Amino acid sequence: MSSASSTQRKVPLEVLHLSMPRTGSASMMEAYKILGFSTYHGTDFVDRPDDQVQWEKAVDAKWFGKGRPFERADFDAFLGEFHVLSDLPVIGFSEELLEMYPEAKVVLVDRDLDKWFESYAVSVIPNNYTPIVKILTTILEPYFLRARPATLIVNESHAWFGCHDEASYAASAREKYKSHYAMVRERVPRERLLNYELGSGWGPLCEFLGKKVPNEPFPFKNEREEFRKWMREVQRRKLRDGLWQVVKGVSVVGSGVLAAYVYGYGVRIWG
């Protein structure tokens, strides 16, 4: 029995948005919000440090054999306020979530594979291998930071995509896209699944979710630019946090060394 078994969701999980990143997710999240849903996207866990710890535990258990696999109650404990779950790291647990939440509807936004890869290869993959990420993953995060969203994304991507570096990540991306969508379509009954085509507007989504069509245009967000801004901000913030932890650590050590020196010096004088 999960230690979080007594935790109840605050709202029902109504939608598993299991589309790959770079398929209009930012626009879709805005659409869900307009329809009255609370949404959890890949950007949200960065601003929620406790979530980062939980995702790291879930990743370690699933792919690295550390700890026990997460159960529904474990996810409910920190995701229970959201009607919609989407994006990485959520979709890395698609099989588990589909089994745990059979009542949730599922949305897939498909995209031309070559166009998707061009966007993903330019926007997502390189951003996991920037100099800042290398500093974070090799020096700052393992020793100075409480949670490791940069490492989390890289580790999950490596495990989920079956790769070990930037080149193999890019080489496996297309096949992962195809296998992921095939898996979802195979497991989800037709009445529970919406294959949404970007540009279709409110009609198909509102009909599927049983919502009234809003009296405003379907949102469109420049996702590539939004993602770049987000990644830059995340990496800078984590670098800043890591360096501050280093400064504090050095200060503590320095103070200790100074205190020991002064104490020792005093003993020599007064002893």
Side-chain angles (χ1 to χ4, degrees):
M1 179 70 68
S2 166
S3 60
S5 59
S6 62
T7 302
Q8 299 295 318
R9 290 190 63 85
K10 298 177 179 65
V11 299
L13 178 58
E14 301 203 32
V15 180
L16 288 168
H17 186 95
L18 300 181
S19 307
M20 292 288 277
R22 312 302 306 139
T23 56
S25 298
S27 299
M28 293 298 292
M29 292 308 106
E30 189 63 27
Y32 290 127
K33 291 175 183 176
I34 292 172
L35 293 175
F37 294 109
S38 55
T39 65
Y40 189 87
H41 191 46
T43 58
D44 292 310
F45 81 99
V46 174
D47 295 320
R48 295 163 56 95
D50 291 340
D51 289 13
Q52 297 164 21
V53 174
Q54 296 307 312
W55 281 119
E56 189 173 347
K57 290 178 181 177
V59 168
D60 281 346
K62 179 171 181 175
W63 283 293
F64 303 105
K66 301 176 183 178
R68 61 169 179 79
F70 267 37
E71 302 172 5
R72 173 169 174 156
D74 297 303
F75 287 111
D76 281 347
F78 70 103
L79 300 174
E81 64 193 273
F82 299 102
H83 298 102
V84 181
L85 303 181
S86 69
D87 203 60
L88 287 169
V90 166
I91 60 174
F93 296 83
S94 293
E95 294 94 336
E96 293 87 345
L97 295 173
L98 287 172
E99 182 175 344
M100 292 173 187
Y101 301 95
E103 72 280 10
K105 294 185 176 181
V106 180
V107 175
L108 280 181
V109 179
D110 211 344
R111 188 176 179 185
D112 176 84
L113 186 58
D114 290 332
K115 291 181 179 179
W116 171 81
F117 178 76
E118 185 276 330
S119 178
Y120 196 80
V122 168
S123 302
V124 178
I125 296 176
N127 277 305
N128 279 327
Y129 297 91
T130 65
I132 292 179
V133 169
K134 290 178 182 178
I135 293 172
L136 287 170
T137 56
T138 58
I139 300 174
L140 296 180
E141 290 173 344
Y143 302 105
F144 295 102
L145 295 178
R146 174 175 173 233
R148 314 194 304 269
T151 304
L152 173 65
I153 294 171
V154 173
N155 279 351
E156 185 189 323
S157 296
H158 280 185
W160 199 49
F161 280 81
C163 61
H164 59 276
D165 58 18
E166 186 173 356
S168 59
Y169 191 176
S172 65
R174 285 187 177 90
E175 286 305 313
K176 186 60 192 180
Y177 182 104
K178 291 190 289 186
S179 65
H180 173 68
Y181 277 64
M183 180 278 295
V184 173
R185 287 169 176 148
E186 179 181 345
R187 292 191 176 212
V188 180
R190 182 175 296 182
E191 66 275 9
R192 224 180 110 207
L193 174 65
L194 174 64
N195 288 288
Y196 183 84
E197 183 178 347
L198 279 179
S200 299
W202 288 113
L205 185 64
C206 289
E207 181 180 358
F208 180 65
L209 298 177
K211 295 288 187 177
K212 183 179 178 181
V213 174
N215 188 27
E216 60 181 284
F218 195 90
F220 172 77
K221 303 193 71 149
N222 186 337
E223 190 174 347
R224 180 179 296 194
E225 185 57 31
E226 290 288 328
F227 183 80
R228 286 176 176 170
K229 291 179 181 178
W230 175 70
M231 284 296 290
R232 284 196 297 267
E233 173 58 27
V234 168
Q235 293 177 15
R236 289 169 181 166
R237 187 190 315 169
K238 295 305 293 183
L239 180 62
R240 183 175 62 247
D241 291 346
L243 292 175
W244 176 238
Q245 294 300 322
V246 171
V247 169
K248 290 199 295 186
V250 170
S251 297
V252 170
V253 172
S255 298
V257 170
L258 178 60
Y261 175 79
V262 171
Y263 175 77
Y265 185 69
V267 168
R268 288 197 299 273
I269 292 177
W270 301 105

